[in-house]
mmCIF file of all heavy atoms in Angstrom:
data_model
loop_
_atom_site.group_PDB
_atom_site.id
_atom_site.type_symbol
_atom_site.label_atom_id
_atom_site.label_comp_id
_atom_site.label_asym_id
_atom_site.label_seq_id
_atom_site.Cartn_x
_atom_site.Cartn_y
_atom_site.Cartn_z
ATOM 1 N N GLY A 1492 -10.103 -5.677 -14.607
ATOM 2 C CA GLY A 1492 -9.121 -6.749 -14.516
ATOM 3 C C GLY A 1492 -7.693 -6.334 -15.033
ATOM 4 O O GLY A 1492 -6.767 -7.032 -14.746
ATOM 5 N N ASP A 1493 -7.594 -5.291 -15.778
ATOM 6 C CA ASP A 1493 -6.263 -4.876 -16.344
ATOM 7 C C ASP A 1493 -5.548 -3.951 -15.492
ATOM 8 O O ASP A 1493 -4.531 -3.322 -15.863
ATOM 9 C CB ASP A 1493 -6.413 -4.322 -17.765
ATOM 10 C CG ASP A 1493 -7.356 -3.091 -17.723
ATOM 11 O OD1 ASP A 1493 -7.913 -2.733 -16.730
ATOM 12 O OD2 ASP A 1493 -7.352 -2.409 -18.785
ATOM 13 N N ALA A 1494 -5.927 -3.791 -14.208
ATOM 14 C CA ALA A 1494 -5.291 -2.847 -13.294
ATOM 15 C C ALA A 1494 -4.105 -3.632 -12.683
ATOM 16 O O ALA A 1494 -4.126 -4.036 -11.535
ATOM 17 C CB ALA A 1494 -6.258 -2.381 -12.197
ATOM 18 N N HIS A 1495 -3.080 -3.753 -13.530
ATOM 19 C CA HIS A 1495 -1.916 -4.633 -13.098
ATOM 20 C C HIS A 1495 -1.151 -4.237 -11.866
ATOM 21 O O HIS A 1495 -0.786 -5.004 -11.024
ATOM 22 C CB HIS A 1495 -0.967 -4.762 -14.265
ATOM 23 C CG HIS A 1495 -1.620 -5.405 -15.526
ATOM 24 N ND1 HIS A 1495 -2.183 -6.648 -15.502
ATOM 25 C CD2 HIS A 1495 -1.867 -4.858 -16.760
ATOM 26 C CE1 HIS A 1495 -2.666 -6.910 -16.721
ATOM 27 N NE2 HIS A 1495 -2.507 -5.867 -17.486
ATOM 28 N N ASP A 1496 -0.967 -2.898 -11.758
ATOM 29 C CA ASP A 1496 -0.203 -2.401 -10.618
ATOM 30 C C ASP A 1496 -0.982 -2.663 -9.302
ATOM 31 O O ASP A 1496 -0.375 -3.018 -8.262
ATOM 32 C CB ASP A 1496 0.106 -0.925 -10.745
ATOM 33 C CG ASP A 1496 1.103 -0.626 -11.824
ATOM 34 O OD1 ASP A 1496 1.869 -1.499 -12.143
ATOM 35 O OD2 ASP A 1496 1.189 0.614 -12.305
ATOM 36 N N ALA A 1497 -2.270 -2.440 -9.362
ATOM 37 C CA ALA A 1497 -3.074 -2.606 -8.142
ATOM 38 C C ALA A 1497 -3.089 -4.127 -7.759
ATOM 39 O O ALA A 1497 -3.062 -4.523 -6.621
ATOM 40 C CB ALA A 1497 -4.466 -2.121 -8.347
ATOM 41 N N ARG A 1498 -3.212 -5.036 -8.756
ATOM 42 C CA ARG A 1498 -3.232 -6.451 -8.521
ATOM 43 C C ARG A 1498 -1.869 -6.969 -8.037
ATOM 44 O O ARG A 1498 -1.828 -7.945 -7.251
ATOM 45 C CB ARG A 1498 -3.744 -7.215 -9.725
ATOM 46 C CG ARG A 1498 -5.233 -6.881 -10.020
ATOM 47 C CD ARG A 1498 -5.845 -7.704 -11.128
ATOM 48 N NE ARG A 1498 -7.240 -7.327 -11.286
ATOM 49 C CZ ARG A 1498 -8.200 -7.822 -10.585
ATOM 50 N NH1 ARG A 1498 -8.011 -8.717 -9.650
ATOM 51 N NH2 ARG A 1498 -9.470 -7.401 -10.723
ATOM 52 N N ARG A 1499 -0.838 -6.374 -8.563
ATOM 53 C CA ARG A 1499 0.483 -6.754 -8.095
ATOM 54 C C ARG A 1499 0.646 -6.337 -6.564
ATOM 55 O O ARG A 1499 1.212 -7.112 -5.797
ATOM 56 C CB ARG A 1499 1.509 -6.079 -8.917
ATOM 57 C CG ARG A 1499 3.013 -6.573 -8.695
ATOM 58 C CD ARG A 1499 3.936 -5.922 -9.624
ATOM 59 N NE ARG A 1499 3.612 -6.163 -11.001
ATOM 60 C CZ ARG A 1499 3.299 -5.236 -11.857
ATOM 61 N NH1 ARG A 1499 3.182 -3.975 -11.496
ATOM 62 N NH2 ARG A 1499 2.924 -5.520 -13.155
ATOM 63 N N LEU A 1500 0.163 -5.200 -6.213
ATOM 64 C CA LEU A 1500 0.234 -4.823 -4.830
ATOM 65 C C LEU A 1500 -0.590 -5.754 -4.000
ATOM 66 O O LEU A 1500 -0.205 -6.161 -2.851
ATOM 67 C CB LEU A 1500 -0.269 -3.366 -4.587
ATOM 68 C CG LEU A 1500 -0.454 -2.878 -3.162
ATOM 69 C CD1 LEU A 1500 1.005 -2.889 -2.558
ATOM 70 C CD2 LEU A 1500 -1.008 -1.438 -3.159
ATOM 71 N N LEU A 1501 -1.805 -6.154 -4.469
ATOM 72 C CA LEU A 1501 -2.657 -7.101 -3.737
ATOM 73 C C LEU A 1501 -1.923 -8.413 -3.485
ATOM 74 O O LEU A 1501 -2.005 -9.014 -2.409
ATOM 75 C CB LEU A 1501 -3.937 -7.312 -4.457
ATOM 76 C CG LEU A 1501 -4.912 -8.254 -3.741
ATOM 77 C CD1 LEU A 1501 -5.383 -7.763 -2.442
ATOM 78 C CD2 LEU A 1501 -6.153 -8.523 -4.695
ATOM 79 N N TRP A 1502 -1.159 -8.834 -4.537
ATOM 80 C CA TRP A 1502 -0.425 -10.131 -4.469
ATOM 81 C C TRP A 1502 0.674 -9.956 -3.340
ATOM 82 O O TRP A 1502 0.921 -10.974 -2.572
ATOM 83 C CB TRP A 1502 0.223 -10.429 -5.740
ATOM 84 C CG TRP A 1502 1.177 -11.534 -5.723
ATOM 85 C CD1 TRP A 1502 2.549 -11.379 -5.861
ATOM 86 C CD2 TRP A 1502 1.077 -12.882 -5.382
ATOM 87 N NE1 TRP A 1502 3.215 -12.615 -5.691
ATOM 88 C CE2 TRP A 1502 2.311 -13.515 -5.351
ATOM 89 C CE3 TRP A 1502 -0.076 -13.670 -5.094
ATOM 90 C CZ2 TRP A 1502 2.421 -14.884 -5.086
ATOM 91 C CZ3 TRP A 1502 0.087 -15.014 -4.784
ATOM 92 C CH2 TRP A 1502 1.284 -15.580 -4.796
ATOM 93 N N ARG A 1503 1.281 -8.848 -3.276
ATOM 94 C CA ARG A 1503 2.277 -8.733 -2.169
ATOM 95 C C ARG A 1503 1.650 -8.783 -0.799
ATOM 96 O O ARG A 1503 2.308 -9.422 0.045
ATOM 97 C CB ARG A 1503 2.950 -7.343 -2.323
ATOM 98 C CG ARG A 1503 3.919 -7.237 -3.544
ATOM 99 C CD ARG A 1503 4.386 -5.737 -3.755
ATOM 100 N NE ARG A 1503 4.906 -5.176 -2.607
ATOM 101 C CZ ARG A 1503 5.261 -3.888 -2.515
ATOM 102 N NH1 ARG A 1503 5.078 -3.119 -3.563
ATOM 103 N NH2 ARG A 1503 5.740 -3.352 -1.387
ATOM 104 N N PHE A 1504 0.491 -8.304 -0.621
ATOM 105 C CA PHE A 1504 -0.134 -8.503 0.659
ATOM 106 C C PHE A 1504 -0.576 -9.931 0.892
ATOM 107 O O PHE A 1504 -0.350 -10.528 1.906
ATOM 108 C CB PHE A 1504 -1.407 -7.586 0.725
ATOM 109 C CG PHE A 1504 -1.223 -6.210 1.177
ATOM 110 C CD1 PHE A 1504 -1.141 -5.191 0.275
ATOM 111 C CD2 PHE A 1504 -1.080 -5.940 2.512
ATOM 112 C CE1 PHE A 1504 -0.887 -3.840 0.704
ATOM 113 C CE2 PHE A 1504 -0.843 -4.651 3.009
ATOM 114 C CZ PHE A 1504 -0.785 -3.621 2.075
ATOM 115 N N ALA A 1505 -1.075 -10.594 -0.266
ATOM 116 C CA ALA A 1505 -1.532 -11.939 -0.073
ATOM 117 C C ALA A 1505 -0.448 -12.892 0.251
ATOM 118 O O ALA A 1505 -0.610 -13.832 0.997
ATOM 119 C CB ALA A 1505 -2.242 -12.343 -1.393
ATOM 120 N N ALA A 1506 0.807 -12.630 -0.187
ATOM 121 C CA ALA A 1506 1.941 -13.477 0.079
ATOM 122 C C ALA A 1506 2.256 -13.466 1.530
ATOM 123 O O ALA A 1506 2.886 -14.468 2.030
ATOM 124 C CB ALA A 1506 3.127 -13.005 -0.805
ATOM 125 N N GLY A 1507 1.803 -12.487 2.312
ATOM 126 C CA GLY A 1507 2.132 -12.435 3.741
ATOM 127 C C GLY A 1507 0.992 -12.898 4.583
ATOM 128 O O GLY A 1507 1.091 -12.706 5.788
ATOM 129 N N ILE A 1508 -0.097 -13.466 3.993
ATOM 130 C CA ILE A 1508 -1.241 -13.875 4.765
ATOM 131 C C ILE A 1508 -1.528 -15.386 4.489
ATOM 132 O O ILE A 1508 -1.776 -15.697 3.362
ATOM 133 C CB ILE A 1508 -2.499 -13.041 4.385
ATOM 134 C CG1 ILE A 1508 -2.254 -11.559 4.631
ATOM 135 C CG2 ILE A 1508 -3.686 -13.508 5.283
ATOM 136 C CD1 ILE A 1508 -3.280 -10.669 4.175
ATOM 137 N N PRO A 1509 -1.365 -16.244 5.394
ATOM 138 C CA PRO A 1509 -1.602 -17.672 5.198
ATOM 139 C C PRO A 1509 -2.924 -17.951 4.533
ATOM 140 O O PRO A 1509 -4.005 -17.488 4.979
ATOM 141 C CB PRO A 1509 -1.550 -18.316 6.592
ATOM 142 C CG PRO A 1509 -0.683 -17.350 7.363
ATOM 143 C CD PRO A 1509 -0.997 -15.988 6.886
ATOM 144 N N GLY A 1510 -2.916 -18.671 3.459
ATOM 145 C CA GLY A 1510 -4.148 -19.047 2.756
ATOM 146 C C GLY A 1510 -4.797 -17.991 1.834
ATOM 147 O O GLY A 1510 -5.841 -18.229 1.291
ATOM 148 N N ALA A 1511 -4.150 -16.864 1.757
ATOM 149 C CA ALA A 1511 -4.748 -15.772 0.983
ATOM 150 C C ALA A 1511 -4.517 -15.868 -0.514
ATOM 151 O O ALA A 1511 -5.212 -15.264 -1.252
ATOM 152 C CB ALA A 1511 -4.106 -14.432 1.474
ATOM 153 N N SER A 1512 -3.590 -16.804 -0.903
ATOM 154 C CA SER A 1512 -3.307 -16.964 -2.332
ATOM 155 C C SER A 1512 -3.230 -18.464 -2.680
ATOM 156 O O SER A 1512 -2.689 -19.248 -1.915
ATOM 157 C CB SER A 1512 -2.064 -16.317 -2.722
ATOM 158 O OG SER A 1512 -1.755 -16.509 -4.068
ATOM 159 N N ALA A 1513 -3.780 -18.761 -3.845
ATOM 160 C CA ALA A 1513 -3.770 -20.175 -4.267
ATOM 161 C C ALA A 1513 -2.463 -20.393 -5.063
ATOM 162 O O ALA A 1513 -2.259 -21.479 -5.606
ATOM 163 C CB ALA A 1513 -4.897 -20.447 -5.189
ATOM 164 N N GLY A 1514 -1.536 -19.384 -5.172
ATOM 165 C CA GLY A 1514 -0.318 -19.605 -5.949
ATOM 166 C C GLY A 1514 -0.361 -18.839 -7.263
ATOM 167 O O GLY A 1514 -1.327 -18.163 -7.579
ATOM 168 N N GLY A 1515 0.668 -18.908 -8.036
ATOM 169 C CA GLY A 1515 0.741 -18.233 -9.276
ATOM 170 C C GLY A 1515 0.959 -16.742 -9.059
ATOM 171 O O GLY A 1515 1.499 -16.318 -7.926
ATOM 172 N N ALA A 1516 0.631 -15.902 -9.978
ATOM 173 C CA ALA A 1516 0.850 -14.492 -9.857
ATOM 174 C C ALA A 1516 -0.346 -13.619 -9.561
ATOM 175 O O ALA A 1516 -0.343 -12.480 -9.661
ATOM 176 C CB ALA A 1516 1.490 -13.981 -11.147
ATOM 177 N N GLY A 1517 -1.491 -14.310 -9.260
ATOM 178 C CA GLY A 1517 -2.652 -13.637 -9.024
ATOM 179 C C GLY A 1517 -3.173 -13.806 -7.670
ATOM 180 O O GLY A 1517 -2.712 -14.668 -6.913
ATOM 181 N N ALA A 1518 -4.039 -12.934 -7.195
ATOM 182 C CA ALA A 1518 -4.715 -13.006 -5.834
ATOM 183 C C ALA A 1518 -6.114 -12.532 -5.950
ATOM 184 O O ALA A 1518 -6.392 -11.478 -6.598
ATOM 185 C CB ALA A 1518 -3.860 -12.248 -4.859
ATOM 186 N N ASP A 1519 -7.032 -13.287 -5.357
ATOM 187 C CA ASP A 1519 -8.435 -12.967 -5.458
ATOM 188 C C ASP A 1519 -8.770 -11.968 -4.324
ATOM 189 O O ASP A 1519 -8.479 -12.268 -3.109
ATOM 190 C CB ASP A 1519 -9.293 -14.222 -5.328
ATOM 191 C CG ASP A 1519 -10.741 -13.896 -5.248
ATOM 192 O OD1 ASP A 1519 -11.267 -13.346 -6.177
ATOM 193 O OD2 ASP A 1519 -11.406 -14.198 -4.228
ATOM 194 N N PRO A 1520 -9.328 -10.763 -4.637
ATOM 195 C CA PRO A 1520 -9.587 -9.788 -3.580
ATOM 196 C C PRO A 1520 -10.479 -10.333 -2.478
ATOM 197 O O PRO A 1520 -10.200 -10.042 -1.267
ATOM 198 C CB PRO A 1520 -10.293 -8.704 -4.312
ATOM 199 C CG PRO A 1520 -9.873 -8.821 -5.745
ATOM 200 C CD PRO A 1520 -9.630 -10.274 -5.997
ATOM 201 N N GLU A 1521 -11.475 -11.093 -2.807
ATOM 202 C CA GLU A 1521 -12.421 -11.553 -1.737
ATOM 203 C C GLU A 1521 -11.683 -12.535 -0.891
ATOM 204 O O GLU A 1521 -11.872 -12.516 0.418
ATOM 205 C CB GLU A 1521 -13.596 -12.266 -2.425
ATOM 206 C CG GLU A 1521 -14.674 -12.688 -1.439
ATOM 207 C CD GLU A 1521 -15.845 -13.301 -2.096
ATOM 208 O OE1 GLU A 1521 -15.971 -13.197 -3.365
ATOM 209 O OE2 GLU A 1521 -16.706 -13.867 -1.348
ATOM 210 N N THR A 1522 -10.902 -13.411 -1.416
ATOM 211 C CA THR A 1522 -10.052 -14.375 -0.554
ATOM 212 C C THR A 1522 -9.137 -13.633 0.359
ATOM 213 O O THR A 1522 -8.955 -13.973 1.472
ATOM 214 C CB THR A 1522 -9.345 -15.377 -1.515
ATOM 215 O OG1 THR A 1522 -10.308 -16.066 -2.293
ATOM 216 C CG2 THR A 1522 -8.575 -16.386 -0.641
#
Side-chain angles (χ1 to χ4, degrees):
D1493 59 353
H1495 299 299
D1496 289 341
R1498 294 187 177 277
R1499 190 176 301 115
L1500 176 61
L1501 179 64
W1502 166 249
R1503 287 170 54 187
F1504 275 101
I1508 303 172
S1512 174
D1519 175 60
E1521 185 176 351
T1522 301

